[in-house]
Amino acid sequence: MKTKAKKIMSMILCMAAAAVLISGCGAASTDGGAGGGRSYRLAYQCAYSAGGGPFVYASELADTIVACSGGRVAMDCLATNSIVSTVDMLDAVANGTLDCAETIAVSFPDDSLGLLSTLPVGMTAEEYMGWYLSGEGQKILDEVMLEIAPNVVAFPCAMVDAEILYHSTTPIKSISDIKGLKVRGLSDWAKIQTMLGASVVTLDGGECYEALSRGTIDAAEYSTPFADYAAGYHEVAPYMTVPGIHCPAATHLLLINRNVWESMDEQLQSIIKTSCKAMLIQAISEDRMANVEAWGKFEELEAAGKLTIFRLPDEDIDTIYEIAHEYYQEKCETNPLFAKVYNSQQAYLETVGSWESASAIER
């Protein structure tokens, strides 16, 4: 994906970061680096397999930080499980096995904090971006990290689009169709599907294709259209259901060891924070266009009689919203950290909701 357009985008990101930093650069020390100041070689692992969109975004974040640092930072993106397993990445950053990592919060040991990245019937990509950058999202993230991993700082650093709800071997036209089916589910979505009558099976994403082909499960959610088409789910599941209300968006987080972070001068810290903000915009823009292209391929398959696409009725979507929010209210009563994040997100949505409704244009 290293096209000319991407090179131009990287140049723009570097220029934008430089513009932010010009007025704030302190005196440079002389202990290394082409641009002065201390130099760093960072051990950096992401939670994604090489080649997919999320891995590309994680790699481009590293490239941007390296370029904007003028050589003071060196870091190569290692694919999932290169040094530690995905579920151990938070601990690895905390204890210094990794200097930094990119992941989503559903991979934290406490998966109830997955709503820092995504939540069934939760915020869209634009709403997550607003909550983190203009609302109190970063403040809440800082507070949560101090409670669950005091030696780690975190920043939102990429955003991906909504997922496909189901690839299935049997038609799923409504929520009544999932009753009794063996479906893949994780975290909060697993609980909600169970409440809807499904028989939930917990599987790693990499196991879903094989499980569908063998009949181990009847339906699975995996990822976005781009990732799902590349993985070939249409080859083993002739039915597809949208919209992906189980994952309207996913925010990726950059985790950095606090000792490493606090050893950096203000210039490098600003470079990293600015690069993360720039990648939020770049990643969702690229991901959306990749999904548009992949969706067109799915529609071509449907036109050729090789795939059938269903959309859940609006009344079913309303039912899922009602069940989910009742479940979240109960969860807030027993999980203070979940309540802290959830209530902040709901307050943000209420604040911006009036203008969103007023400015919405029906097409």
Side-chain angles (χ1 to χ4, degrees), residues 126-255:
E126 290 79 6
E127 289 165 344
Y128 262 111
M129 200 175 301
W131 180 64
Y132 269 118
L133 300 184
S134 301
E136 62 175 5
Q138 184 64 58
K139 173 178 174 289
I140 294 292
L141 178 59
D142 292 342
E143 293 174 358
V144 170
M145 297 309 297
L146 283 174
E147 291 201 44
I148 67 169
N151 204 37
V152 177
V153 296
F155 305 100
C157 63
M159 191 82 64
V160 296
D161 214 351
E163 295 186 354
I164 289 170
L165 180 57
Y166 290 120
H167 292 277
S168 60
T169 56
T170 186
I172 300 178
K173 304 177 185 179
S174 67
I175 55 176
S176 63
D177 291 331
I178 71 169
K179 292 181 179 178
L181 293 185
K182 299 187 294 283
V183 301
R184 185 217 183 195
L186 299 172
S187 191
D188 291 315
W189 183 235
K191 305 288 195 308
I192 293 168
Q193 288 183 113
T194 299
M195 296 167 72
L196 292 170
S199 176
V200 176
V201 179
T202 300
L203 288 176
D204 181 78
E207 300 175 34
C208 291
Y209 181 98
E210 188 70 18
L212 280 168
S213 67
R214 291 178 175 271
T216 307
I217 57 175
D218 303 303
E221 50 81 17
Y222 177 65
S223 188
T224 60
F226 170 70
D228 287 13
Y229 186 85
Y233 277 90
H234 51 283
E235 299 167 356
V236 294
Y239 304 102
M240 179 191 296
T241 306
V242 294
I245 56 176
H246 68 293
C247 184
T251 306
H252 298 188
L253 302 176
L254 178 67
L255 312 177

Side-chain angles (χ1 to χ4, degrees), residues 102-113:
E102 184 175 324
T103 188
I104 57 175
V106 291
S107 67
F108 286 178
D110 181 357
D111 70 355
S112 70
L113 294 174

Side-chain angles (χ1 to χ4, degrees), residues 18-97:
V20 172
L21 299 171
I22 284 174
S23 62
C25 296
S29 64
T30 58
D31 57 348
R38 180 176 175 181
S39 297
Y40 294 82
R41 176 74 191 182
L42 302 179
Y44 171 51
Q45 179 180 307
C46 73
Y48 325 111
S49 300
F55 179 83
V56 172
Y57 308 142
S59 299
E60 289 182 351
L61 174 63
D63 292 345
T64 301
I65 292 171
V66 170
C68 292
S69 74
R72 291 183 58 196
V73 175
M75 55 191 297
D76 296 316
C77 184
L78 301 176
T80 182
N81 301 324
S82 294
I83 298 177
V84 298
S85 66
T86 296
V87 295
D88 292 327
M89 280 173 34
L90 178 61
D91 288 340
V93 174
N95 64 34
T97 302

